[in-house]
Amino acid sequence: MDGTYAILQEMNERKCQSMLTFIRTEGNMKALQALQDQLEPIDWELMENSSTFDLELEYLVSAVTAKEMSKVDLNPIFHRKFDGTLKCIDFGFRRSDKNRKKIGKVFDLLGNSGIEEFISDEDIDPEDLENNPSESDSWSGSMSESESDESDSEETPRGRTGRVPPSLTTNTTERPRFANKAQRNRRN
């Protein structure tokens, strides 16, 4: 493991959790700087059904640290590490956009782990995948009616539910451990 990683933090006030996404800097500095240039001028505030974002480009972490942090089991959502190429993200800000509108545009694209739509090669170890067919069968159909109503109200313009990253909502038998932990926490 080598290289350095920038850290994108998403903090959700309603769920009282922060998620860190570690993005490899090699080959991605131009896209990371473009992202930073858009995020930095925003005066972040916690809004209902939204998140705040911060990108750390000054103090980078090692590959070992990023990997170790992706294993930490503190939130219902695990931190994630990506080794792939980051696509350039453009939020489509206009000069006339107010601060809250900018926050909304960022959340629409990056909220609820939306960064995964712009980068590839997530670093997930085989032991972090849980191959449990009975759990995955109950994954998609085990929400109570109140949870189902709640997820409907969290719908974003891109059609995401805001519960689990979109790549994990398919009914597969192998999911990263953080997906199954989030499911168990919702049941409790």
Side-chain angles (χ1 to χ4, degrees):
M1 282 198 217
D2 60 345
T4 57
Y5 288 75
I7 306 169
L8 176 66
Q9 176 182 272
E10 177 180 356
M11 187 173 79
N12 185 297
E13 181 264 339
R14 188 176 67 83
K15 295 178 184 177
C16 297
Q17 62 191 18
S18 290
M19 187 176 86
L20 303 178
T21 301
F22 297 89
I23 303 169
R24 185 176 183 94
T25 57
E26 185 179 346
N28 288 325
M29 279 311 290
K30 185 176 180 181
L32 285 165
Q33 190 60 56
L35 179 59
Q36 177 79 335
D37 292 345
Q38 294 176 84
L39 294 177
E40 203 166 74
I42 297 174
D43 184 20
W44 290 98
E45 59 184 282
L46 291 172
M47 296 178 0
E48 191 174 331
N49 295 325
S50 188
S51 296
T52 63
F53 295 86
D54 195 7
L55 180 61
E56 179 60 65
L57 286 180
E58 188 173 342
Y59 298 102
L60 305 175
V61 298
S62 70
V64 172
T65 300
K67 183 64 175 178
E68 289 172 344
M69 287 300 296
S70 72
K71 300 280 191 177
V72 172
D73 190 2
L74 296 174
N75 285 323
I77 296 177
F78 284 77
H79 306 303
R80 300 169 79 183
K81 176 180 174 272
F82 291 90
D83 296 325
T85 302
L86 178 66
K87 297 175 188 170
C88 200
I89 301 170
D90 181 7
F91 298 110
F93 294 149
R94 297 181 184 152
R95 287 184 184 209
S96 60
D97 285 347
K98 303 278 188 220
N99 195 63
R100 286 181 166 242
K101 178 130 182 157
K102 289 179 180 179
I103 291 172
K105 286 182 176 185
V106 173
F107 182 74
D108 287 345
L109 287 181
L110 298 184
N112 301 312
S113 296
I115 190 71
E116 72 176 7
E117 295 179 22
F118 298 96
I119 192 164
S120 60
D121 297 334
E122 182 169 8
D123 184 359
I124 301 175
D125 291 333
E127 67 265 14
D128 293 337
L129 296 173
E130 294 184 10
N131 192 359
N132 186 343
S134 63
E135 177 118 4
S136 68
D137 291 342
S138 65
W139 176 259
S140 61
S142 66
M143 283 196 298
S144 69
E145 189 173 312
S146 64
E147 286 177 314
S148 178
D149 291 344
E150 181 181 319
S151 70
D152 291 344
S153 67
E154 293 180 17
E155 195 77 21
T156 66
R158 292 178 296 149
R160 297 191 328 185
T161 63
R163 295 197 153 282
V164 200
S167 65
L168 301 175
T169 58
T170 59
N171 193 9
T172 63
T173 57
E174 288 191 349
R175 288 192 314 268
R177 64 188 171 114
F178 64 84
N180 289 330
K181 181 178 180 190
Q183 175 66 18
R184 286 190 299 273
N185 287 340
R186 277 200 303 279
R187 287 188 204 145
N188 295 333

